[in-house]
């Protein structure tokens, strides 16, 4: 309960979401000695996108030993590219191993978060109770809310309709005529998995993807035993996987013309399975490889070559009863429609539920495009940070590397708050990202983005927002991002204090903030060094 009797449970930190980001934040909080926190989760179990996406064939396109926490290595991954059940089981294991369940509040969907400028805390309303928190860490993730297109006539479709991220396991596809809408990462896994079951499968393709072979295999019992008995072998394997991907980054960010060889390999992969030149032409992208995420599958093209699978090289335009009509006029009568149309990435619904210091929602603040200082903090939203924020996505490597970098930043942010709050001035403290610092960071990121394949490759991807700006991807290596987020620079923040209700909030000018920063820099550096020294082997590999 709130000490002032507002009927709200008060915590030091409220974490929103229990996917990789939220669970990683919870583990890091405990490792920092912070146990006064809750993880607010709208569902009834952990897992985030790996809980929600349970469609047939669902798997990761990043190697298993890289797509896992460095502080929680798993020597028993079953495959080099693990499937959804194994990844979800891993997250359940992390939850139990690090004792996180007492902190998790299942069935607590966040309805609204409001910053209380007088008390310097967040008021959080959920579907199952109310909280206040000194700090909010939003880890809802960009792949949490499915995007359904507005298609004329869809409401009158008599058959079954669902999104790939909300798979209806009670609906039997056997013997059905099924339409798959979209050709993204989910669709290329779903198509091969369901094609043998359906009577006929029609794939509506607006833009063809570049697809490379997925060199997946079972990890042998000998390999697993080696990793269990000699943990350094698993750390070395992870380091090698990381290093290879770091070397690839310059081709995406500085020299897109170097990707021509990769295009040739992708075309050869297609030619091995697609013998029909007309179909091959429909499947060949007209943009530079890498502009959209490069997809991995060794089964997608063979599935499209089946006689009971049709490719419509045009987007879905309208639905007339049970007949689907493409933009080019092609028609297909179906019993079920599966949408693989992605997520609300650049317009995350959670942004409508965060109200900052000036009464403005985060969504309104980001109307001109998402931007956050070092991908974590937004101007006008004190003591609020996000995991997998703007321009922290990757086009060729593991997001777990980026998440762990942001956890470093979160940990130092909380250290700085403690040092400032426990100082001679006393009272609660908030850190508010300076608009000038946010803008400067964003200008740097966008300037680097101009040369990247994501901006110059000739495609329209989900990396781009409604204004055509790339607010999603990080235009550098994961090592660079690790260095940029290792510690908090107090000069980029305004320090806000409250010493009591009768005095209200006190904002320190820039000179005072800089002084506070110099006074605490040594302590923060010492804490960071201590944390690094106590980190398990491999945590600093990225």
């Amino acid at each position: 309960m709130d000490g002032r009797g507002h009927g709200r449970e008060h915590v030091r930190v409220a974490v929103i979401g229990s996917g990789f980001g939220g669970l990683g934040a919870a583990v890091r909080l405990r490792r920092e000695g912070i146990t006064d926190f809750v993880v607010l989760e709208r569902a009834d179990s952990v897992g985030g996108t790996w809980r929600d996406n349970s469609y047939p064939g669902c798997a990761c396109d990043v190697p298993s030993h890289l797509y896992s926490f460095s502080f929680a290595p798993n020597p028993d991954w079953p495959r080099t590219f693990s499937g959804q059940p194994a990844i979800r089981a891993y997250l359940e294991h992390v939850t139990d191993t690090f004792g996180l369940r007492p902190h998790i509040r299942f069935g607590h969907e966040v309805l609204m978060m409001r910053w209380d400028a007088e008390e310097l805390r967040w008021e959080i309303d959920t579907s199952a109770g109310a909280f206040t928190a000194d700090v909010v860490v939003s880890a809802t993730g960009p792949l949490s809310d499915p995007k359904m297109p507005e298609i004329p006539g869809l409401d009158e479709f008599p058959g079954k309709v669902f999104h790939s991220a909300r798979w209806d396991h009670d609906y039997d596809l056997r013997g059905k005529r099924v339409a798959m809408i979209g050709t993204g990462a989910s669709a290329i896994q779903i198509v091969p998995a369901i094609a043998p079951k359906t009577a006929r499968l029609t794939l509506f393709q607006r833009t063809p993807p570049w697809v490379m072979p997925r060199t997946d295999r079972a990890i042998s019992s000998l390999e697993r035993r080696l990793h269990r008995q000699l943990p350094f072998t698993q750390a070395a394997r992870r380091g090698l996987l990381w290093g290879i991907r770091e070397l690839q980054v310059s081709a995406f960010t500085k020299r897109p013309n170097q990707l021509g060889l990769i295009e040739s390999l992708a075309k050869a992969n297609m030619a091995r399975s697609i013998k029909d030149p007309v179909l091959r032409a429909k499947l060949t992208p007209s943009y530079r490889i890498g502009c959209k995420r490069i997809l991995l599958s060794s089964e997608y093209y063979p599935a499209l070559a089946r006689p009971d699978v049709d490719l419509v090289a045009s987007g879905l335009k309208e639905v007339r009863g049970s007949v689907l009509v493409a933009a080019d006029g092609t028609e297909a009568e179906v019993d079920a429609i599966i949408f693989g149309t992605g997520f609300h990435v650049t317009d995350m619904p959670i942004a409508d539920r965060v109200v900052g210091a000036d009464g403005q929602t985060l969504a309104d603040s980001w109307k001109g495009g998402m931007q956050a200082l070092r991908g974590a903090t937004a101007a006008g939203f004190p003591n609020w940070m996000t995991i997998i924020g703007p321009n922290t996505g990757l086009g060729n490597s593991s997001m777990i590397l980026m998440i762990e970098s942001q956890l470093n930043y979160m940990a130092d942010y909380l250290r700085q708050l403690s040092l400032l709050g426990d100082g001679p001035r006393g009272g609660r403290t908030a850190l508010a990202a300076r608009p000038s610092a946010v803008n400067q960071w964003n200008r740097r990121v966008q300037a680097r983005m101009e040369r990247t394949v994501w901006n110059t490759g000739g495609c329209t991807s989900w990396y781009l927002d409604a204004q055509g700006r790339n607010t999603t991807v990080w235009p550098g290596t994961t090592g660079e991002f690790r260095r940029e987020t290792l510690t908090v620079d107090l000069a980029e923040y305004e320090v806000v204090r409250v010493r009591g209700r009768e005095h209200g909030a006190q904002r320190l000018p820039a000179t005072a903030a800089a002084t506070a920063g110099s006074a605490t820099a040594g302590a923060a550096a010492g804490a960071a060094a201590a944390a690094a020294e106590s980190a398990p082997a491999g945590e600093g590999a990225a």
Side-chain angles (χ1 to χ4, degrees):
M1 295 284 288
D2 189 330
R4 292 181 174 78
H6 296 319
R8 294 174 179 267
E9 178 183 352
H10 181 73
V11 293
R12 173 65 171 156
V13 182
V15 179
I16 317 300
S18 67
F20 266 101
L23 295 178
V27 171
R28 190 57 184 267
L29 288 172
R30 288 186 62 91
R31 292 178 65 192
E32 292 291 320
I34 298 173
T35 57
D36 182 17
F37 70 90
V38 293
V39 178
L40 303 175
E41 169 56 57
R42 64 185 177 185
D44 59 1
S45 61
V46 302
T49 191
W50 293 106
R51 175 199 59 233
D52 297 340
N53 287 270
S54 59
Y55 57 79
C58 183
C60 189
D61 60 0
V62 174
S64 302
H65 289 284
L66 193 59
Y67 199 78
S68 47
F69 291 122
S70 64
F71 54 79
N74 178 18
D76 291 313
W77 285 115
R79 304 192 67 83
T80 52
F81 291 87
S82 290
Q84 178 265 346
I87 297 173
R88 185 177 181 184
Y90 169 77
L91 291 173
E92 294 280 0
H93 174 73
V94 168
T95 302
D96 292 330
T97 299
F98 290 91
L100 303 182
R101 293 199 186 275
H103 298 277
I104 302 175
R105 304 290 188 268
F106 292 116
H108 282 62
E109 181 177 5
V110 171
L111 305 177
M112 189 63 67
M113 293 182 278
R114 301 179 184 84
W115 175 248
D116 184 336
E118 181 180 314
E119 301 291 347
L120 297 191
R121 59 176 52 167
W122 285 94
E123 295 182 348
I124 307 169
D125 296 324
T126 80
S127 57
F131 299 80
T132 57
D134 296 330
V135 177
V136 167
V137 178
S138 180
T140 58
L143 306 182
S144 57
D145 292 285
K147 179 180 288 187
M148 290 284 285
E150 295 183 3
I151 305 295
L154 182 60
D155 291 342
E156 285 74 45
F157 178 70
K160 191 69 177 179
V161 178
F162 54 87
H163 191 279
S164 61
R166 300 293 184 266
W167 195 271
D168 189 339
H169 291 278
D170 294 328
Y171 184 76
D172 191 354
L173 294 175
R174 286 178 295 185
K176 301 293 195 309
R177 299 166 299 175
V178 179
M180 181 77 223
I181 314 301
T183 52
S186 299
I188 72 159
Q189 295 178 344
I190 293 170
V191 168
I194 69 173
K197 304 176 183 178
T198 62
R200 190 152 210 92
L201 178 60
T202 303
L203 175 63
F204 284 77
Q205 169 191 275
R206 188 169 57 182
T207 307
W210 285 105
V211 182
M212 295 287 287
R214 186 167 178 263
T215 54
D216 183 33
R217 64 171 178 83
I219 297 177
S220 69
S221 59
L222 177 62
E223 290 174 275
R224 297 188 208 179
R225 186 163 60 251
L226 182 67
H227 292 332
R228 279 196 301 271
Q229 295 178 356
L230 300 173
F232 75 87
T233 62
Q234 186 175 359
R237 184 174 188 164
R238 176 186 174 91
L240 179 62
L241 291 169
W242 166 75
I244 291 172
R245 281 155 181 77
E246 291 289 273
L247 293 174
Q248 297 170 347
V249 170
S250 64
F252 289 85
T253 60
K254 298 176 182 179
R255 305 175 184 87
N257 288 336
Q258 292 182 349
L259 294 167
L261 175 61
I262 307 301
E263 283 186 10
S264 299
L265 296 175
K267 289 178 179 178
N269 176 49
M270 183 195 308
R272 279 191 290 270
S273 300
I274 306 298
K275 304 304 180 183
D276 180 359
V278 176
L279 179 58
R280 197 160 58 238
K282 292 179 180 179
L283 292 171
T284 303
S286 59
Y287 55 87
R288 173 66 76 190
I289 193 170
C291 186
K292 292 174 178 279
R293 188 177 179 97
I294 301 173
L295 305 183
L296 302 182
S297 177
S298 298
E299 301 172 333
Y300 178 63
Y301 288 138
L304 294 184
R306 291 173 58 102
D308 53 359
V309 175
D310 297 319
L311 175 72
V312 177
S314 181
L316 178 61
K317 180 181 179 181
E318 63 176 313
V319 178
R320 300 172 186 166
S322 60
V323 176
L324 277 57
V325 183
D328 65 358
T330 302
E331 297 184 356
E333 187 170 6
V334 300
D335 305 303
I337 307 174
I338 303 170
F339 284 93
T341 45
F343 301 84
H344 290 277
V345 175
T346 60
D347 58 342
M348 294 184 291
I350 190 67
D352 289 308
R353 306 180 185 188
V354 184
V355 181
D358 58 0
Q360 187 179 46
T361 66
L362 184 62
D364 285 336
S365 176
W366 281 350
K367 272 187 176 178
M370 298 190 303
Q371 57 179 359
L373 178 59
R374 303 182 188 274
T377 56
F381 298 83
N383 283 12
W384 179 93
M385 29 188 4
T386 182
I387 306 295
I388 314 184
N391 290 113
T392 61
L394 296 175
N396 76 314
S397 193
S398 172
M399 280 305 302
I400 313 307
L401 303 172
M402 302 296 280
I403 289 172
E404 290 195 22
S405 292
Q406 291 200 288
L407 298 183
N408 288 339
Y409 195 75
M410 177 198 75
D412 196 54
Y413 189 99
L414 291 167
R415 291 187 205 115
Q416 296 287 5
L417 281 175
S418 295
L419 291 166
L420 291 165
D422 293 338
R425 302 176 192 273
R428 285 192 305 282
T429 306
L431 288 175
R434 295 179 180 277
S436 58
V438 176
N439 291 334
Q440 181 179 10
W441 172 263
N442 189 61
R443 284 195 298 270
R444 283 176 54 196
V445 169
Q446 293 302 322
R448 294 183 63 180
M449 198 70 70
E450 292 178 1
R451 297 173 58 185
T452 68
V453 69
W454 308 302
N455 279 34
T456 65
C459 73
T460 300
S461 72
W462 57 266
Y463 297 151
L464 309 180
D465 63 16
Q467 289 77 39
R469 293 177 57 223
N470 191 327
T471 58
T472 305
V473 185
W474 168 245
T477 66
T478 62
E480 287 179 277
F481 190 76
R482 177 66 58 98
R483 292 189 292 273
E484 293 280 8
T485 54
L486 190 59
T487 58
V488 169
D489 180 0
L490 281 181
E492 296 180 330
Y493 288 87
E494 184 176 30
V495 181
V496 186
R497 301 184 188 277
V498 63
R499 297 178 59 191
R501 300 183 70 186
E502 66 278 9
H503 298 297
Q506 175 190 13
R507 292 181 176 270
L508 272 66
T511 52
T515 302
S518 62
T520 60
E533 289 175 358
S534 62
E539 183 161 11

